[in-house]
Amino acid sequence: MEELRLRYNEEKASFQIANFLRRHLLPETVFLCIGTDRFITDSLGPIVGNLISGSLPPIYYVYGTLKNPVHAINLEENLRYIKKKHPYSKIIAVDASLGEEENIGKISIKKSPIHPGKGVGKILPPVGDLSIVGIVDSFHAKDLNSIRLGFIYEIAETIANGILIASYSKSLSF
């Protein structure tokens, strides 16, 4: 399986993300940014959505922002809408994840779907042709609200910058 793993604050992390994504972008790619702003640990997706929404070339689409989040309650409804509106589009899913303590702050991009809600015991459909996951806290954390919003925002900026760099450089080749 093709995968990229890196720390959000590595030098040139956004460029590494862009280089990986560029190979997978097609016209009408959908970025599905999953999560909610009601819980800081789950806000990575909507923050990324906010950062890229309105800034991407018009051949790409974003679902899931702070104003209109895509989360556990409305995920399946949004997926039906996206598949109807963009039936042949590739979907790149973006979400926060829990992981081992030493992996907090890592970003993982895989050529496979994301399993939203898995870390908190929810059963939701797998989403995406490609997944971008930011590990924001530990599986073993006693208080999932102890993570700082600024940390989540920094991870989101790295991911969003990578998406924007990739989308602009790739759109020039279409």
Side-chain angles (χ1 to χ4, degrees):
M1 174 188 332
E2 197 175 357
E3 179 178 8
L4 171 68
R5 290 182 69 99
L6 68 157
R7 289 211 159 280
Y8 79 97
N9 57 357
E10 274 182 35
E11 189 175 335
K12 300 186 180 182
S14 292
F15 290 101
Q16 291 179 61
I17 291 169
N19 285 333
F20 186 93
L21 288 178
R22 193 177 294 120
R23 297 188 305 261
H24 301 284
L25 291 178
L26 300 171
E28 296 196 29
T29 295
V30 171
F31 291 92
L32 179 58
C33 302
I34 302 165
T36 177
D37 62 340
R38 292 180 185 244
F39 300 101
I40 290 174
T41 52
D42 200 26
S43 64
L44 179 71
I47 293 171
V48 170
N50 246 56
L51 291 170
I52 64 174
S53 182
S55 298
L56 286 173
I59 59 172
Y60 303 111
Y61 302 93
V62 178
Y63 293 89
T65 62
L66 291 169
K67 187 174 182 179
N68 295 302
V70 174
H71 45 68
I73 295 169
N74 67 12
L75 177 64
E76 293 182 68
E77 173 189 335
N78 275 284
L79 282 173
R80 282 191 299 274
Y81 176 80
I82 290 167
K83 288 179 181 180
K84 185 176 182 179
K85 185 164 172 93
H86 313 283
Y88 305 107
S89 294
K90 181 178 275 196
I91 296 175
I92 298 178
V94 181
D95 198 3
S97 179
L98 302 176
E100 295 298 332
E101 187 85 27
E102 65 271 9
N103 291 326
I104 295 173
K106 283 191 176 177
I107 297 167
S108 173
I109 306 176
K110 295 181 186 176
K111 196 174 174 183
S112 66
I114 209 166
H115 297 275
K118 186 177 177 183
V120 291
K122 294 189 178 177
I123 299 171
L124 296 167
V127 179
D129 301 293
L130 204 74
S131 59
I132 303 174
V133 173
I135 301 172
V136 298
D137 208 349
S138 168
F139 287 124
H140 311 294
K142 295 189 185 342
D143 179 12
L144 290 178
N145 290 316
S146 66
I147 205 74
R148 296 188 50 86
L149 180 59
F151 174 66
I152 304 290
Y153 194 86
E154 288 177 8
I155 297 171
E157 281 184 312
T158 300
I159 294 169
N161 288 338
I163 291 170
L164 291 171
I165 294 165
S167 65
Y168 274 97
S169 64
K170 185 68 176 197
S171 69
L172 295 174
S173 67
F174 295 133

